[in-house]
Amino acid sequence: MLEVRDLSFAYSPTANELFDGMSHVFTRGSMTAVTGPSGRGKSTLLYVLGLMLQPTRGEIYLRSEPVGLASDRSRSLTRARDIGFVFQDASLDPSRSVLSSVIEPALYAGRRRGQVAQHAVLLLEQLGVGGRSSHRPGQISGGQAQRVAVARALINDPAVILADEPTGNLDRDNAETVLTALKGATLGGRTVVVATHDPFVLDHADEVLEL
Ligand SMILES: Nc1ncnc2c1ncn2[C@@H]1O[C@H](COP(=O)(O)OP(=O)(O)OP(=O)(O)O)[C@@H](O)[C@H]1O
């Protein structure tokens, strides 16, 4: 489903090379936790898998198609259609309602609000934050915001979800809810990749990739 072959990345010609020619298959329908010491490149790997950074060497394959070295436009399209992101601090726009935040990535993917609003409401309900649709991010808890971020990542029904320390700022109960939501996202064959130091997430991952 999602695969890297001979992958290396450096931020500049003089910077250290990360990943050292790594090859790995991120299995369909499973959650892989990427872990390892600080600075080893966990976040960077998510940016590379998310087609925001291009490999210095090697390639990324999505459904067996090479995607990592494609043009900016092609990578943007792949990203909008096939990849959902969840960041550590939810990164919700403070000026938008929760519902509007969830709908926004669908608009980038070329769909209209009316086509996706019902799906967005359903996702928020499934994640236990249906009652928060009209709230702003400042009016909900960190755990609720992170569940909204998961709903936002799922709105385009992406093949891949990439999450960077999604439980980093959460207490155990909220971490559990977010983890359950991410594991639920693997049902139906999605590939979920989580960069994390959290032993709780590592314990519950289907696979662990140590950098
Ligand atoms: N935008 C950037 N420009 C240049 N170097 C960067 C940039 N972002 C990260 N780096 C460097 O790349 C290396 C990998 O960083 P990255 O944040 O991916 O590591 P990490 O394993 O996620 O670390 P942490 O566990 O501390 O979050 C580090 O040496 C970091 O300093």
Side-chain angles (χ1 to χ4, degrees):
M1 158 52 44
L2 179 67
E3 182 178 358
V4 296
R5 285 188 212 152
D6 306 319
L7 182 72
S8 294
F9 175 83
Y11 277 100
S12 74
T14 53
N16 278 346
E17 249 193 17
L18 302 167
F19 317 131
D20 198 21
M22 177 174 78
S23 294
H24 188 81
V25 176
F26 296 89
T27 314
R28 211 172 158 252
S30 76
M31 186 173 102
T32 301
V34 178
T35 192
S38 180
R40 212 42 90 72
K42 298 179 292 297
S43 299
T44 304
L45 181 62
L46 294 194
Y47 294 133
V48 172
L49 292 175
L51 311 181
M52 294 188 271
L53 296 173
Q54 293 194 279
T56 310
R57 284 191 289 123
E59 184 47 300
I60 302 155
Y61 297 83
L62 183 61
R63 298 186 203 93
S64 305
E65 293 289 324
V67 289
L69 300 171
S71 66
D72 285 356
R73 183 178 154 68
S74 166
R75 283 183 292 120
S76 293
L77 274 175
T78 305
R79 193 161 53 234
R81 288 185 188 147
D82 289 318
I83 302 173
F85 292 92
V86 179
F87 297 103
Q88 177 166 3
D89 61 356
S91 309
L92 300 174
D93 179 344
S95 69
R96 283 178 184 274
S97 71
V98 159
L99 183 62
S100 165
S101 275
V102 174
I103 289 172
E104 192 189 14
L107 306 182
Y108 288 130
R111 294 193 286 163
R112 285 194 305 276
R113 184 171 294 270
Q115 292 175 293
V116 293
Q118 219 176 340
H119 184 203
V121 168
L122 189 69
L123 282 171
L124 287 168
E125 279 168 8
Q126 284 170 351
L127 288 158
V129 280
R132 296 288 183 276
S133 291
S134 58
H135 289 58
R136 309 268 153 191
Q139 300 170 315
I140 59 177
S141 74
Q144 289 167 341
Q146 203 53 304
R147 279 183 268 165
V148 172
V150 175
R152 184 180 149 90
L154 286 168
I155 189 71
N156 288 331
D157 196 15
V160 176
I161 300 268
L162 304 173
D164 197 358
E165 292 284 3
T167 60
N169 290 332
L170 303 181
D171 63 25
R172 191 41 66 227
D173 281 355
N174 274 309
E176 199 170 324
T177 310
V178 167
L179 184 67
T180 303
L182 288 171
K183 283 211 85 170
T186 62
L187 301 175
R190 268 193 211 96
T191 304
V192 176
V193 184
V194 184
T196 190
H197 291 289
D198 185 344
F200 182 70
V201 177
L202 292 170
D203 276 353
H204 290 84
D206 300 304
E207 295 174 42
V208 174
L209 173 64
E210 175 106 27
L211 293 185

